[in-house]
Amino acid sequence: MVHFVGAGPGAPDLITRRGAALLQQADCIIYAGSLVNPALLGLAKPECIIYNSAEMTLEQVLAVMRQMEAEGKTTVRLHTGDPCLYGAIREQMDALDADGISYDDTPGVSSFCGAAAALNAEYTLPTVSQTVIITRMEGRTPVPEKEKLASLAAHGATMVIFLSIGLIDKVQEALLQGGAYHESTPAAVVYKASWPEEKTVRCTVGTLASSTRAAGITKTALIVVGDFLGTQYERSKLYDPTFTTEFRKGESV
Ligand code: SAH
């Protein structure tokens, strides 16, 4: 059996209890080396075999899983954040299906949630944005034509941009091209959310590239953009004294 597990954004106590239990029971752990906190490997049994997938191809990862399965052993495939975002799990799952190897998936706290926590921010403020666009800038990995950053930026919604900090000049340019954000629209960069070396940089779309450079951030960071980082919003209906819900009768004013 193979267990895909989300490691969370970095802090070892942000893994789920289920994920931690699976690590403790694993005969083999294949972890995404550059981003998973090595402290989590401390949960492994002494005899657990550990591989760093940063140095492996898909074929090599699958070969380890097949070998473990043949020996009746359990493998944990440990991905950073939640495996469903940029985790390359589909290709592993399809290969396991073809081999008749069973697997399951334990979610984790994605770094986009870790970044919001680092900023004490709410992505979905009433009247500001009720939508979060999770995307990336095209680089060596292409992005479908209809999802180009500039066209997504035309919505003016909250945006969280993964895997793109090394292309920060192009990101800034595309965000402005969209037409809905302005030089003065708030933005932030969160480096290594929830790690001891976490860093947050608050800036605007117009100063995104220069602020990122000034902070010396070149990897493991998210770019977040939108007026949710500003000061204007309306309070929620849910907790408004005059609003009636299924659980509470609103006061008349
Ligand atoms: N599955 C992961 C994302 C993997 S892609 C998740 O759910 O978070 C790797 C990218 O995620 C990095 O390039 C960076 O943009 C972002 N990332 C991962 N961990 C991060 C962290 N702790 N802080 C900021 N960004 C992070």
Side-chain angles (χ1 to χ4, degrees):
M1 174 102 190
V2 175
H3 301 285
F4 291 89
V5 173
D13 57 347
L14 284 180
I15 194 169
T16 63
R17 289 174 61 174
R18 187 188 300 177
L22 289 168
L23 282 177
Q24 284 166 337
Q25 293 154 18
D27 300 305
C28 171
I29 297 171
I30 309 172
Y31 72 104
S34 57
L35 289 170
V36 166
N37 193 327
L40 284 171
L41 304 175
L43 294 172
K45 300 188 282 198
E47 66 275 24
C48 179
I49 308 167
I50 296 177
Y51 293 92
N52 176 358
S53 66
E55 297 156 355
M56 298 163 80
T57 62
L58 170 62
E59 287 71 15
Q60 290 169 328
V61 167
L62 291 169
V64 171
M65 290 173 173
R66 287 186 191 115
Q67 189 195 330
M68 289 298 145
E69 184 69 14
E71 294 172 19
K73 292 185 170 159
T74 306
T75 301
V76 166
R77 178 70 172 103
L78 190 61
H79 284 277
T80 178
D82 188 285
C84 77
L85 290 171
Y86 308 109
I89 52 168
R90 175 65 190 270
E91 60 197 26
Q92 299 173 69
M93 291 174 169
D94 282 350
L96 294 175
D97 281 337
D99 286 353
I101 298 176
S102 57
Y103 56 84
D104 60 15
D105 184 3
T106 298
V109 177
S110 175
S111 60
F112 84 88
C113 301
L119 293 164
N120 290 325
E122 178 177 349
Y123 289 139
T124 53
L125 287 178
T127 69
V128 175
S129 179
Q130 293 290 289
T131 305
V132 183
I133 296 176
I134 289 173
T135 190
R136 65 176 299 168
M137 181 84 205
E138 64 181 328
R140 287 198 295 169
T141 300
V143 163
E145 187 60 36
K146 288 181 182 150
E147 298 177 18
K148 292 278 152 52
L149 196 55
S151 60
L152 297 180
H155 296 278
T158 296
M159 213 182 243
V160 182
I161 306 167
F162 282 70
L163 294 160
S164 305
I165 200 73
L167 300 164
I168 194 72
D169 291 290
K170 285 189 174 166
V171 169
Q172 177 173 331
E173 200 182 314
L175 290 173
L176 289 170
Q177 254 175 29
Y181 304 126
H182 308 287
E183 296 262 341
S184 60
T185 301
V189 171
V190 181
Y191 169 74
K192 287 201 130 181
S194 86
W195 291 71
E197 57 271 44
E198 170 186 293
K199 218 189 270 185
T200 58
V201 177
R202 290 177 190 265
C203 56
T204 64
V205 173
T207 62
L208 197 47
S210 59
S211 306
T212 303
R213 258 193 295 279
I217 299 173
T218 56
K219 56 179 194 172
T220 328
L222 288 172
I223 303 155
V224 296
V225 185
D227 285 319
F228 74 97
L229 290 165
T231 53
Q232 303 296 313
Y233 65 95
E234 274 183 21
R235 59 176 285 179
S236 67
K237 294 275 183 232
L238 187 61
Y239 297 107
D240 184 328
T242 65
F243 198 69
T244 297
T245 72
E246 190 185 343
F247 305 103
R248 178 174 67 76
K249 184 159 167 32
E251 301 161 7
S252 48
V253 278

